[in-house]
Amino acid sequence: MEIMEGSRAVAEAVKACRPNVIAAYPITPQTHIVEEIARMVADGELASEYVRVDSEHSAMSVCVGASATGARTYTATTSQGMALMHEVLFNAAGLRLPIVMTAVNRSLSAPINIWNDQQDTVSERDSGWIQLYAEDTQEASDMIIQAYKIAEDRDILLPVMVGMDGFILTHVHEPVELCPQEKVDDFLPSYDPAHYLTPKNPLSFGTIVYPSTYTEFRYMIHEAMKRAERKIIEVASDFRDKFGRHYGGLIDTYEAEDAEVLIMAMGSVIGTAKDAIDELRADGKKVGLVKVRCYRPFPAEAIAEAVKNAKAIAVLDKNISLGHEGALYTDVKSALYKEKGPLALGFVLGLGGRDISKNTIRSIVEKAQKAIKSGRVEEDSEFVDLGVP
């Protein structure tokens, strides 16, 4: 185990996966990851083709072209950079290319803000990419290795983005255990594509389709997403058997067995929530946590099962579908629509890097307890800690 910056922990995991082609454009707070990978390539530690491009649109376009020839590819981006990739993200998923990307989570402008929330990745939830979210730097590093295993499975063949909260995880220094190269090679063999572009066997990728067949292509992506639920669970278990670390499959729970109130969230806020739950438990309050590790495909059945005995759930969203509510909250309510589930409360918080403290978690739990006592939710979804009336 070694103390290192979160960005380096991710770069080391990428190196262990031996990608053939890397294309990236620097943007805060993703820059440290691609700087470290560029150094590895320049120093001969990583035998990859590193393509320096003029924009994030070009970075993803290079990955699409390289992946179509059968290369294992990697990139990383954040915020406005991801927005600039938007068109190509759909191409990558539609072409069924198993590209892996670290999506460093950052707010979207305007106003300009370089700090963390999850608006960038949540805004790409319908692009056809599998979306995973890391709780800490160890998980962010290990998720890269798992992401390739999921993406390259021939029953899946979809790109995967690994959400990693900007600055909170990318720039923190903490102990990380890197995966030994020989074990990664055994866990993740070289990419062996069934179909790829080569002059020896000419094929066409990405040709036009007409209304008679377009729906079928979208249906097949949707079905692959559904199959990915099982694969994500399997890969997490296989990783535990190989490396001794497990973070849950589609979701994970903490102190949830007898919880009357369940906090539900994604990403680094999970750590703060666990600390708050420990204190609340010491005060005699039955509070627990559901960590949503996989956002797309959405683990509706797993969530419904995890919350079935709770009296109230409080969903934390570091994003906002303006004019409605947090995206995770909407999806959770949809998952519980057919069940006589617990009361549900939605909270939008932590936007643009605003700290989420244990006191904030405590106040949210108090509102959930108040709803349980009265039997109704006074405010379906609300902003937390607003500084304006």
Side-chain angles (χ1 to χ4, degrees), residues 194-226:
H195 307 288
Y196 59 98
L197 295 176
T198 171
K200 298 177 181 176
N201 181 28
L203 299 171
S204 292
F205 276 45
T207 57
I208 189 171
V209 298
Y210 294 95
S212 59
T213 48
Y214 180 82
T215 299
E216 283 69 23
F217 275 88
R218 305 304 288 174
Y219 171 77
M220 287 189 287
I221 297 172
H222 179 66
E223 288 297 301
M225 270 280 184
K226 291 168 67 176

Side-chain angles (χ1 to χ4, degrees), residues 23 56-66 85 88 91:
E56 289 84 356
H57 187 283
S58 298
M60 185 52 66
S61 296
V62 167
C63 287
V64 165
M85 283 181 175
V88 198
N91 287 337

Side-chain angles (χ1 to χ4, degrees), residues 316-370:
L316 314 187
D317 268 294
K318 295 174 82 170
N319 70 86
I320 173 70
S321 178
L322 295 167
H324 192 34
E325 58 194 9
L328 178 60
Y329 185 46
T330 299
D331 289 341
V332 169
K333 287 193 295 184
S334 174
L336 302 179
Y337 179 72
K338 296 178 183 177
E339 310 291 337
K340 184 175 173 55
L343 298 168
L345 302 86
F347 300 91
V348 175
L349 71 177
L351 303 186
R354 182 170 294 186
D355 286 340
I356 302 172
S357 68
K358 288 188 290 185
N359 285 337
T360 297
I361 302 294
R362 278 180 167 271
S363 69
I364 286 170
V365 170
E366 288 172 3
K367 289 182 180 181
Q369 290 174 322
K370 184 178 179 182

Side-chain angles (χ1 to χ4, degrees), residues 142-194:
D142 291 346
M143 262 187 179
I144 294 295
I145 300 167
Q146 295 183 36
Y148 279 111
K149 187 86 168 178
I150 297 163
E152 294 175 358
D153 188 284
R154 290 188 177 182
D155 283 337
I156 309 300
L157 289 179
L158 287 172
V160 179
M161 63 175 73
V162 175
M164 178 184 193
D165 284 340
F167 290 114
I168 299 171
L169 297 185
T170 54
H171 287 57
V172 71
H173 285 68
E174 61 183 16
V176 175
E177 184 174 349
L178 298 177
C179 297
Q181 185 65 64
E182 62 276 15
K183 281 193 173 184
V184 176
D185 289 341
D186 186 53
F187 182 80
L188 183 69
S190 299
Y191 177 38
D192 181 25

Side-chain angles (χ1 to χ4, degrees), residues 34-51:
V34 296
E35 275 184 345
E36 181 64 17
I37 294 174
R39 183 200 63 73
M40 292 171 173
V41 174
D43 291 349
E45 298 175 18
L46 175 58
S48 297
E49 184 72 28
Y50 190 105
V51 185

